[in-house]
Amino acid sequence: MSRYRHRAASPGTGIPPSSGTSLDVEVMIWATGYRPDYSWIDIPGVTRDGKAVHRRGVTDVPGLYFLGLSWQHTRGSALLGFVHDDAAYLAGRITSHARAGKVAASRPAPQRSS
């Protein structure tokens, strides 16, 4: 795992860290601090009235998840001693999503009849 200071990101084009190089990534973990501020997220439907829109950390955007939010699922969601429950739930969802994608990609394309 590597850590980089972020400058800008364009989906599907890699992430240009401050070193000026480009990285192709499959997973990004964005640690944003202790106060919720989603103003930098410019994806339709992800925020509403300054809050993240999710169900137990899962958004409607494939591959976009939240973890450690206050009352994400329970009172302990934002506490280090209890966040593991939400992390385990999200890990299961992410794994299921990845497996489903691999299964779908391995299926032959449907044949069109003339």
Side-chain angles (χ1 to χ4, degrees):
M1 182 168 93
S2 300
R3 285 187 244 164
Y4 295 91
R5 287 197 160 280
H6 162 57
R7 282 193 311 187
S10 299
T13 61
I15 309 298
S18 57
S19 65
T21 61
S22 181
L23 302 171
D24 289 320
V25 296
E26 291 183 33
V27 175
M28 179 184 303
I29 299 174
W30 217 304
T32 60
Y34 296 100
R35 283 177 277 156
D37 177 9
Y38 308 107
S39 63
W40 56 275
I41 300 176
D42 190 19
I43 303 171
V46 174
T47 61
R48 182 174 45 240
D49 300 325
K51 296 182 180 178
V53 177
H54 66 92
R55 284 171 303 287
R56 241 185 132 177
V58 180
T59 71
D60 289 336
V61 176
L64 181 61
Y65 304 91
F66 288 95
L67 180 64
L69 302 180
S70 187
W71 287 95
Q72 180 168 317
H73 181 63
T74 67
R75 180 175 182 253
S77 292
L79 303 174
L80 289 177
F82 303 95
V83 71
H84 61 85
D85 293 331
D86 290 341
Y89 174 79
L90 288 177
R93 291 293 302 259
I94 293 166
T95 301
S96 296
H97 180 77
R99 285 185 184 147
K102 286 180 182 178
V103 168
S106 67
R107 290 185 187 137
Q111 300 293 322
R112 293 186 175 181
S113 56
S114 313

